[in-house]
Amino acid sequence: MNQIAHTKEERRDFIHQGLSAKEVKDRQALDGKNELQEQKPPSVWRKLLQQLTEITAIILLVAVGISTYMAIALDGGWTKPIVIGAIVILNVAIGLYQEQSAEKALAALKQMSVPTAKVRRDGTVQEIAAADIVVGDVVLLNAGDRVPADGLLESVTALAVDEAILTGESEAVEKSLTGNGKDVESIGDQVNRVFAGTSVTRGSGTMIVTAIGMATELGEIAGLLNKTKPKQTLLQKRLSRLALTLTGVAIAGGVLIFMLSMTQRLGSVADNLMMGVSLAVAAVPETLPVIVTISLAVGVQKMAKRHAIIRQISAVETIGSIDVIASDKTGTLTQNQMTITRLWVPGEQPADISHNGELDASATRLLRYFGLATNATIVATDDGEQTTGDATELAIVRLMQQHSLSRNKFEQEAPRVAERPFSSDVKSMATLHELTDGKFLLIVKGAVDRLPVKLSQTERRRLDDVHDAFAHDALRVLAVGYRVFDSDPGRDWEKLEGDLTFAGIIGLIDPPRPEAAPAVQQARDAGIKPVMITGDHKETARAIAEQIGIYRDGDLAISGRELNAWSDEELADKVEQVSVFARVSPEDKIRIVNAWQSHGKIVAMTGDGVNDAPALKAADVGVAMGITGTEVAKGAADVILTDDNFATIIDAVDSGRTIYQNILKAVEFLVGVNFAQIFLMIGSVLMGWGAPLIAEQLLLINVLADGIPGFYLAREPGERSAMKRPPIPNEQSIFANGLGKRMAWRAGIYTVLTLGIYALGRFGLTGNKAVVGSTMLFLVLALGSMIDIYPIKRREPMTWASIKANRSLNLALGTAAAIIVLIALIPALQGAFGLTSLTPVQWLISLVAALIPTAILEGLKRLDWRKRSGAVVTE
């Protein structure tokens, strides 16, 4: 600034001239673009390393290494390393692709609105991209503009700026040319400065840019947020523990089978080592990482269709586990549109106009006064509407439009000749109009207690009663009065604004979204605690929360001031009783999140402003608004709502729970049979039969028979009871809720069945060959483990409707079953996989035996279902 102008005259000349093209170019070369810089994304190599250091990937890589060594040194064959290596590559590719897709979705969202700004350069006013603004630019601000950078004001005309994204205060700040600038610590007190990202709600002004991009107040917060480390999700923790368990079992099983084989001298050291490696690989569900990734990817796609863009793929399952939704009020639970719901004219009863009923003559006259003293405009565009003005005045214009009342027509009958802009000191504004009969009409609009109206004691009491009734319902009350002069009264406003005739009041509120109350009830049914956190006044917040079911009898509603009187320990003790937090600061929001998390709860936090970003990071799931949200809030969030709607969060919870349950079903489907394979191999060796299955057969079962149908579990529809159950506790094991018991039953059933089938084929039927037993065992294990996906994929009793519900799974299962049967039938494939031809009787026995696990598992499930249903009825 000092390099541009020193004296008043130089400064004035500069304001009218602006920077030259050369100065702009030099400054852009020096300071760069006026953009917020996101944290540099990890390189492809770092992402690749992250994928390969997952515990399940490490297990598979070890298996690839051992099997490759066996193939080279001991002529063990290349089938195993090729198949396992392909699985590793597929899993990594899917993970990298999905991360890239999520970032592309966010980039597309950012391009929905590219801001521009009006600047004066080389003596002319130009409209340029906000990113091209440089320090020293002269920027023109008008109502409706978003401030493109930090700057010092040089001129103001009734300028008011909404700084909620930085301060959390919902009231616009009146700007002036006097102030202490940056000597004042609070942003809200720097009345002679404006800041990037804030919005002009009223008036106009001129600013000189002092900071751009990351040097702005907005940029400083963005820089802090970029340093925050991501958290590990519950699913990641649970799957890591599962993988460690399976690793231990795999190593122990491999070592045991190797030692037993050597002890019984069943083969050479190389053969026995290969058998041990085969068993270790059999214990690891190679396709589980792929299935988990596909499930999460499916969740991302489903949620995107339901207006929720997932930035972090892991958030898909976390959002399904949330215990608390701490939601902002404005725009999320409400329509973010101030609306006049009631009005009152002296001498009449208060009128409820929330249902678009007809207005009588007195109500129309009242709206005429409000309309004449209003500056807001609403213009229909191809994209919806373009609005100018503050929320209160826009509500007046909207109500007039709903009743076919034209402000232009009112102004033709009474043209405005003068105006006193709104003043925060007197809480009112005044306009003067010339009437067709030569008289002049003064209208004053503002707070009831600031209007100098003539009222008797009876009239005053009546006004107070109506005002209190409106305020009790959290309505913002606005009054209007008028005065008629026989001739032009001049412009001495202090003298003019006295002895007004009281015309009436209107009650305004930002009404709840129609879908908010049902969504809140759905959250409660799902065991989720809905909480409102807002910068609005406590009574207004409480009234809205009560309407939509967040606030109930016995709950607490507290303000930020009351909250500050509590220690962190007191807050943790009382937080479960509080359903409304009002007038809170960014620090308060973090305290609230931490208080809930101290109880082991999973917390989702919504927000749109920069001041919300720290809490979005602190929460387990940060949810940013896609329409009204700042880029910093979106960058801090895990989920972005493209419709800014609370109900969308509940839809996302539903999808998240479905995906999580489908992953658990995949774990049950894959791991149970893998354990059975271990017990089968060990049992067979202990009996002196040797290994009943070779490595290629085990891999074929794991990848083809289990893996391919398992992939399509990700597309299994949600169950009706998904949103009727409480969230999964934070500390709960992946084997809880009967999963471990069901897996044990399944492993036991398959172990006994497969040992019996192998013995029957090897010893009890014509041929008396080990290869016959292996072939029958292969068919039973492959086909049986595919078919029993049906009792696993639904927790409710199996029906024909549930069987048909997932068409893609049915097609995949049919394809995999056909391949298995062809391998067992075609001689060339039989030889490649160590199989032989079977007689019709042997085929019949194998196919019937393959249905036994499904029948037993479904029977056990129905027994358990009846027990639980009976317990519910008894209760």
Side-chain angles (χ1 to χ4, degrees):
M1 280 298 306
N2 292 334
Q3 297 174 351
I4 297 171
H6 294 279
T7 67
K8 280 188 176 181
E9 291 75 16
E10 289 175 333
R11 200 176 189 86
R12 185 176 60 248
D13 292 343
F14 173 73
I15 294 299
H16 287 89
Q17 186 67 23
L19 295 175
S20 66
K22 182 180 183 306
E23 288 173 320
V24 170
K25 186 176 180 180
D26 292 343
R27 287 175 182 274
Q28 283 180 336
L30 181 65
D31 299 327
K33 289 281 190 179
N34 177 34
E35 296 174 330
L36 297 181
Q37 299 172 8
E38 294 186 21
Q39 184 179 20
K40 186 178 179 181
S43 65
V44 173
W45 296 112
R46 181 174 290 273
K47 290 180 180 179
L48 182 62
L49 182 62
Q50 289 173 348
Q51 295 286 334
L52 293 176
T53 51
E54 292 288 337
I55 187 68
T56 47
I58 292 174
I59 295 171
L60 295 178
L61 287 173
V62 170
V64 170
I66 294 175
S67 57
T68 300
Y69 170 76
M70 299 290 292
I72 296 173
L74 305 173
D75 194 24
W78 287 95
T79 303
K80 187 188 300 293
I82 291 173
V83 172
I84 302 176
I87 292 171
V88 174
I89 294 170
L90 178 62
N91 186 39
V92 170
I94 290 175
L96 293 176
Y97 171 77
Q98 196 54 50
E99 283 187 25
Q100 183 183 15
S101 297
E103 291 304 319
K104 283 183 177 179
L106 179 64
L109 187 67
K110 286 182 178 180
Q111 295 302 316
M112 288 172 62
S113 176
V114 179
T116 60
K118 289 183 179 179
V119 299
R120 186 176 285 123
R121 292 177 177 175
D122 289 321
T124 61
V125 175
Q126 308 171 24
E127 186 167 349
I128 64 171
D132 294 332
I133 284 176
V134 298
V135 173
D137 256 326
V138 177
V139 179
L140 310 182
L141 301 173
N142 291 286
D145 290 347
R146 188 176 289 271
V147 179
D150 288 3
L152 186 66
L153 290 168
E154 289 296 320
S155 67
V156 297
T157 303
L159 182 65
V161 179
D162 179 0
E163 297 178 345
I165 66 165
L166 295 176
T167 65
E169 295 294 329
S170 57
E171 294 293 327
V173 178
E174 303 286 335
K175 294 294 181 178
S176 69
L177 299 183
T178 59
N180 296 321
K182 287 204 169 183
D183 293 334
V184 177
E185 182 177 353
S186 171
I187 291 175
D189 293 331
Q190 296 181 37
V191 294
N192 64 335
R193 305 184 71 84
V194 287
F195 304 95
T198 59
S199 301
V200 179
T201 61
R202 185 177 65 250
S204 60
T206 304
M207 64 174 273
I208 296 180
V209 175
T210 57
I212 64 171
M214 297 300 287
T216 63
E217 295 287 344
L218 200 65
E220 289 181 15
I221 299 175
L224 291 174
L225 289 169
N226 283 338
K227 299 175 183 178
T228 305
K229 301 295 183 183
K231 302 180 287 291
Q232 194 178 32
T233 69
L234 285 175
L235 179 65
Q236 289 170 330
K237 293 175 183 176
R238 288 166 179 154
L239 288 179
S240 294
R241 289 195 292 265
L242 174 63
L244 287 172
T245 302
L246 294 176
T247 301
V249 172
I251 294 173
V255 171
L256 180 60
I257 198 87
F258 174 74
M259 294 175 63
L260 288 173
S261 299
M262 292 299 295
T263 301
Q264 298 185 16
R265 299 180 181 180
L266 295 178
S268 66
V269 174
D271 291 337
N272 292 335
L273 184 58
M274 176 63 86
M275 189 184 301
V277 172
S278 300
L279 186 61
V281 172
V284 179
E286 293 89 348
T287 53
L288 182 59
V290 186
I291 291 172
V292 170
T293 304
I294 290 175
S295 297
L296 296 177
V298 169
V300 169
Q301 296 168 359
K302 286 182 177 179
M303 290 184 186
K305 292 177 182 177
R306 300 172 84 169
H307 307 292
I309 291 179
I310 306 298
R311 291 191 71 247
Q312 302 293 337
I313 190 170
S314 57
V316 172
E317 57 88 13
T318 306
I319 200 169
S321 303
I322 59 176
D323 302 284
V324 181
I325 300 177
S327 176
D328 188 24
K329 175 181 71 69
T330 305
T332 308
L333 294 166
T334 65
Q335 299 175 26
N336 195 21
Q337 187 177 98
M338 291 298 289
T339 303
I340 301 170
T341 58
R342 282 189 238 172
L343 58 80
W344 176 65
V345 177
E348 299 186 8
Q349 292 297 317
D352 184 347
I353 56 172
S354 59
H355 303 295
N356 297 328
E358 293 294 325
L359 297 180
D360 58 22
S362 58
T364 302
R365 188 165 55 252
L366 178 64
L367 270 186
R368 177 174 179 268
Y369 290 128
F370 275 111
L372 286 171
T374 294
N375 293 320
T377 60
I378 301 176
V379 179
T381 65
D382 293 339
D383 298 326
E385 61 181 23
Q386 182 177 349
T387 61
T388 304
D390 64 31
T392 300
E393 292 199 340
L394 287 170
I396 294 170
V397 174
R398 280 199 174 89
L399 182 60
M400 293 171 60
Q401 289 179 343
Q402 289 172 11
H403 294 279
S404 302
L405 301 176
S406 169
R407 199 182 77 189
N408 290 334
K409 183 178 179 181
F410 288 158
E411 290 183 346
Q412 289 173 6
E413 299 169 352
R416 185 184 299 186
V417 295
E419 174 186 344
R420 175 185 60 77
F422 177 86
S423 167
S424 57
D425 294 329
V426 296
K427 298 291 185 184
S428 67
M429 71 170 288
T431 57
L432 186 65
H433 304 262
E434 184 175 3
L435 303 178
T436 54
D437 58 2
K439 295 181 179 182
F440 286 78
L441 172 67
L442 173 72
I443 302 174
V444 182
K445 178 186 72 182
V448 173
D449 58 345
R450 296 300 185 93
L451 260 61
V453 294
K454 299 179 295 183
L455 292 173
S456 66
Q457 288 187 351
T458 302
E459 291 170 333
R460 173 61 67 180
R461 283 197 299 270
R462 177 59 176 157
L463 171 59
D464 290 343
D465 290 342
V466 175
H467 176 275
D468 292 346
F470 281 22
H472 180 268
D473 292 330
L475 298 179
R476 181 183 174 190
V477 180
L478 195 65
V480 68
Y482 65 93
R483 184 178 178 184
V484 178
F485 299 89
D486 292 332
S487 60
D488 191 336
R491 306 296 181 268
D492 189 343
W493 297 102
E494 288 188 11
K495 292 182 179 180
L496 294 180
E497 297 177 37
D499 295 330
L500 299 177
T501 299
F502 180 60
I505 62 174
I506 54 176
L508 306 96
I509 198 168
D510 181 9
R513 288 177 176 264
E515 62 274 21
V520 167
Q521 185 57 50
Q522 193 176 3
R524 290 191 180 278
D525 292 342
I528 300 170
K529 166 82 171 180
V531 176
M532 179 187 289
I533 300 181
T534 179
D536 210 339
H537 294 282
K538 182 169 77 172
E539 287 307 311
T540 301
R542 183 201 57 76
I544 293 292
E546 191 171 18
Q547 286 183 41
I548 61 179
I550 288 180
Y551 181 87
R552 292 179 169 183
D553 290 341
D555 288 354
L556 295 179
I558 67 169
S559 66
R561 180 178 298 178
E562 294 168 320
L563 180 62
N564 289 334
W566 292 354
S567 66
D568 289 344
E569 291 74 19
E570 287 177 302
L571 175 57
D573 289 339
K574 299 177 181 179
V575 70
E576 293 179 328
Q577 305 169 41
V578 184
S579 58
V580 176
F581 295 90
R583 304 299 275 180
V584 293
S585 68
E587 294 78 12
D588 293 334
K589 293 181 180 181
I590 295 178
R591 288 186 66 206
I592 295 165
V593 170
N594 290 338
W596 275 109
Q597 289 175 335
S598 70
H599 292 278
K601 303 298 184 182
I602 306 299
V603 182
M605 168 70 74
T606 74
D608 55 8
V610 172
N611 63 310
D612 294 319
L616 295 178
K617 277 288 188 183
D620 298 282
V621 181
V623 182
M625 304 299 109
I627 299 174
T628 60
T630 62
E631 296 303 325
V632 177
K634 294 172 190 175
D638 304 293
V639 181
I640 298 174
L641 306 183
T642 59
D643 60 355
D644 292 11
N645 193 341
F646 180 85
T648 300
I649 304 175
I650 306 303
D651 288 341
V653 171
D654 190 6
S655 295
R657 289 192 176 187
T658 296
I659 294 302
Y660 184 75
Q661 290 300 322
N662 287 346
I663 290 173
L664 292 185
K665 292 170 186 176
V667 170
E668 180 179 349
F669 177 64
L670 296 175
V671 176
V673 170
N674 282 30
F675 276 112
Q677 291 172 4
I678 296 174
F679 301 146
L680 164 67
M681 298 284 281
I682 293 174
S684 181
V685 171
L686 283 174
M687 292 180 184
W689 300 343
L693 294 173
I694 62 175
E696 288 79 5
Q697 292 168 348
L698 286 170
L699 280 173
L700 195 63
I701 293 170
N702 286 1
V703 175
L704 183 63
D706 294 343
I708 291 181
F711 292 157
Y712 292 93
L713 275 175
R715 299 190 178 277
E716 186 66 20
E719 299 188 33
R720 290 173 297 176
S721 59
M723 292 299 285
K724 298 295 182 181
R725 294 192 295 261
I728 297 173
N730 198 352
E731 68 283 357
Q732 182 170 292
S733 164
I734 200 169
F735 298 110
N737 292 326
L739 178 61
K741 184 175 72 173
R742 292 192 299 272
M743 288 170 56
W745 267 106
R746 193 160 177 254
I749 291 168
Y750 271 102
T751 301
V752 174
L753 177 66
T754 51
L755 282 172
I757 286 294
Y758 180 67
L760 187 64
R762 179 170 180 169
F763 303 113
L765 296 175
T766 303
N768 204 21
K769 293 181 180 178
V771 68
V772 173
S774 294
T775 304
M776 294 178 66
L777 168 58
F778 172 78
L779 286 171
V780 171
L781 197 55
L783 296 177
S785 63
M786 278 192 285
I787 298 169
D788 71 3
I789 199 171
Y790 289 108
I792 290 173
K793 79 189 189 83
R794 284 295 172 98
R795 297 290 176 245
E796 301 168 357
M798 186 167 57
T799 63
W800 181 242
S802 69
I803 291 174
K804 295 191 302 180
N806 190 342
R807 186 170 179 268
S808 56
L809 185 147
N810 293 334
L811 290 174
L813 191 146
T815 302
I819 294 173
I820 292 293
V821 171
L822 288 174
I823 289 173
L825 285 174
I826 298 174
L829 294 176
Q830 290 174 356
F833 286 95
L835 303 175
T836 189
S837 298
L838 298 179
T839 67
V841 173
Q842 292 166 345
W843 267 101
L844 180 62
I845 292 173
S846 300
L847 294 178
V848 171
L851 297 173
I852 291 175
T854 299
I856 295 176
L857 292 172
E858 181 63 20
L860 290 171
K861 182 173 70 173
R862 288 176 180 268
L863 284 174
D864 184 60
W865 181 266
R866 285 180 191 148
K867 287 179 183 178
R868 287 189 286 115
S869 300
V872 171
V873 171
T874 302
E875 291 172 5

